[in-house]
């Protein structure tokens, strides 16, 4: 399986703090977050302590959303098919996922995990799942077969969820909120999705470069890019990771890359993923129209 390299980068500058006659030096922290290399660059007199709190918060959020931590809330839900007293943040993410599911005509569907796992297992063995395996996994997919409220999340037997198309953006939003509360401004967070609070420290927009070329100026908004072949299951890199829940197969997408901006990174993340499964620019525009402030920034045809 080939995969685009992921990393986490956060840059932030302090607001004017009482008693400071000059800007704080930039402190750099490096480590691992979201299973990837992480870099935080903070200009703040308490940057080291803030960095530690950010790392702890990301880890706490991974304890909710990670498919790779066996004791995460999501892993426990997938094993048991139910979760009592679910974390509010998990419910919030599911609610947004449901809204994008509806707006995309069912293309965005977090219950796709059994299908994704079927492809991932076959890919690790050097092949692709056969039609029987795809059909069996697809029978476990269906957003209308999961219910959730403050008391419980319940799925039908053998179903499973993935929030990989929304959780990285959601975590970027929560980290931005935390840093803002610490008194930092001019924040740019990159978890694979971008979240900007304020401007670049020089007062201009954050210049976010796109892999397909071009640049999007970002101020107080979020930006996400999805590529159907960004991760692939086959050696020829033609079987993409964005699966169509209606067919069980990677969508023969019309797009090489789609970039969406929105008020939150979670929304931008989900919408850019959903857009990869839509056949025309008109369908993408109709999907985004259901969300105030969502905007198609760039689209590259396959």
């Amino acid at each position: 399986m080939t995969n685009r390299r992921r990393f986490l980068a956060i840059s932030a500058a302090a607001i004017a703090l009482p008693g400071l006659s000059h800007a704080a030096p930039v402190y750099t922290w490096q480590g691992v977050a979201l299973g990837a290399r992480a870099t935080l660059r903070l200009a703040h007199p308490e940057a080291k302590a803030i960095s530690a709190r950010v790392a702890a918060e990301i880890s706490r959020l991974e304890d909710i959303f990670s498919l790779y931590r066996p004791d995460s809330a999501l892993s426990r839900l997938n094993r048991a098919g139910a979760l009592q007293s679910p974390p509010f943040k998990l419910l919030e993410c599911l609610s947004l996922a449901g809204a994008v599911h509806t707006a995309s005509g069912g293309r965005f569907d977090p219950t796709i995990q059994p299908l994704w796992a079927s492809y991932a297992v076959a890919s690790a063995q050097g092949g692709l799942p056969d039609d029987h395996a795809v059909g069996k996994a697809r029978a476990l997919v269906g957003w209308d077969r999961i219910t959730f409220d403050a008391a419980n999340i319940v799925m039908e037997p053998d179903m499973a969820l993935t929030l990989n198309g929304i959780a990285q953006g959601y975590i970027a939003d929560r980290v931005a909120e935390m840093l803002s509360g610490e008194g930092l401004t001019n924040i740019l967070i990159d978890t694979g999705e971008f979240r900007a609070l304020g401007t670049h420290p020089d007062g201009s927009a954050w210049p976010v470069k796109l892999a397909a070329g071009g640049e999007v100026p970002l101020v107080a908004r979020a930006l996400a890019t999805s590529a159907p072949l960004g991760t692939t299951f086959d050696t020829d890199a033609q079987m993409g990771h964005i699966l169509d829940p209606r067919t069980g197969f990677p969508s023969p997408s019309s797009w090489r890359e789609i970039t969406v901006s929105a008020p939150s990174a979670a929304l931008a993340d989900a919408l850019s993923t959903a857009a990869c499964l839509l056949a025309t620019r008109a369908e993408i525009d109709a999907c985004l129209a259901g969300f105030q402030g969502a905007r198609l920034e760039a689209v590259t045809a396959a």
Side-chain angles (χ1 to χ4, degrees), residues 46-184:
E46 298 180 11
K48 186 174 182 179
I50 292 172
S51 295
R53 290 195 288 273
V54 168
E57 176 65 4
I58 291 172
S59 182
R60 189 178 72 82
L61 291 167
E62 288 190 273
D63 281 341
I64 298 173
F65 297 113
S66 175
L67 284 170
Y68 302 103
R69 292 189 178 187
D71 292 328
S72 73
L74 186 58
S75 292
R76 288 185 284 117
L77 170 62
N78 284 346
R79 278 198 306 272
L83 186 67
Q84 293 185 335
S85 301
F88 171 77
K89 288 178 170 57
L90 179 56
L91 292 173
E92 190 173 35
C93 213
L94 289 177
S95 294
L96 179 57
V100 176
H101 173 83
T102 299
S104 65
R107 272 81 158 187
F108 185 83
D109 192 332
T111 67
I112 204 81
Q113 177 59 17
L115 264 174
W116 201 95
S118 177
Y119 277 89
V121 169
S123 177
Q125 297 171 349
L128 293 168
D130 59 27
D131 289 349
H132 174 74
V134 169
K136 184 178 178 180
R138 183 172 171 264
L140 299 173
V141 175
W143 183 253
D144 60 342
R145 295 155 63 191
I146 175 174
T147 60
F148 55 92
D149 56 30
N152 291 286
I153 303 173
V154 180
M155 301 185 295
E156 292 184 11
D158 299 321
M159 291 181 68
L161 288 174
T162 175
L163 294 172
N164 285 351
I166 190 170
Q168 282 182 299
Y170 185 87
I171 289 172
D173 291 329
R174 300 289 72 77
V175 171
E177 184 180 85
M178 179 182 176
L179 290 173
S180 179
E182 294 277 4
L184 290 119

Side-chain angles (χ1 to χ4, degrees), residues 94-289:
L94 289 177
S95 294
L96 179 57
V100 176
H101 173 83
T102 299
S104 65
R107 272 81 158 187
F108 185 83
D109 192 332
T111 67
I112 204 81
Q113 177 59 17
L115 264 174
W116 201 95
S118 177
Y119 277 89
V121 169
S123 177
Q125 297 171 349
L128 293 168
D130 59 27
D131 289 349
H132 174 74
V134 169
K136 184 178 178 180
R138 183 172 171 264
L140 299 173
V141 175
W143 183 253
D144 60 342
R145 295 155 63 191
I146 175 174
T147 60
F148 55 92
D149 56 30
N152 291 286
I153 303 173
V154 180
M155 301 185 295
E156 292 184 11
D158 299 321
M159 291 181 68
L161 288 174
T162 175
L163 294 172
N164 285 351
I166 190 170
Q168 282 182 299
Y170 185 87
I171 289 172
D173 291 329
R174 300 289 72 77
V175 171
E177 184 180 85
M178 179 182 176
L179 290 173
S180 179
E182 294 277 4
L184 290 119
T185 58
N186 307 121
I187 301 168
L188 182 67
I189 298 171
D190 176 5
T191 60
E193 283 63 53
F194 291 89
R195 173 67 189 269
L197 288 182
T199 66
H200 188 278
D202 67 8
S204 65
W206 289 98
V208 178
K209 297 185 182 300
L210 305 180
E215 184 177 286
V216 177
L218 204 61
V219 175
R221 284 178 68 76
L223 189 79
T225 297
S226 291
L229 298 179
T231 298
T232 55
F233 293 110
D234 62 321
T235 55
D236 293 331
Q238 295 302 308
M239 300 292 285
H241 70 296
I242 299 179
L243 303 174
D244 191 329
R246 301 166 303 167
T247 65
F249 298 103
S251 176
S253 181
S254 306
W255 319 112
R256 182 158 62 93
E257 189 171 282
I258 293 177
T259 299
V260 172
S261 70
S264 75
L267 180 58
D269 191 1
L271 288 175
S272 67
T273 301
C276 290
L277 291 164
L278 298 171
T280 67
R281 173 69 181 266
E283 288 181 342
I284 296 173
D285 290 340
C287 178
L288 269 58

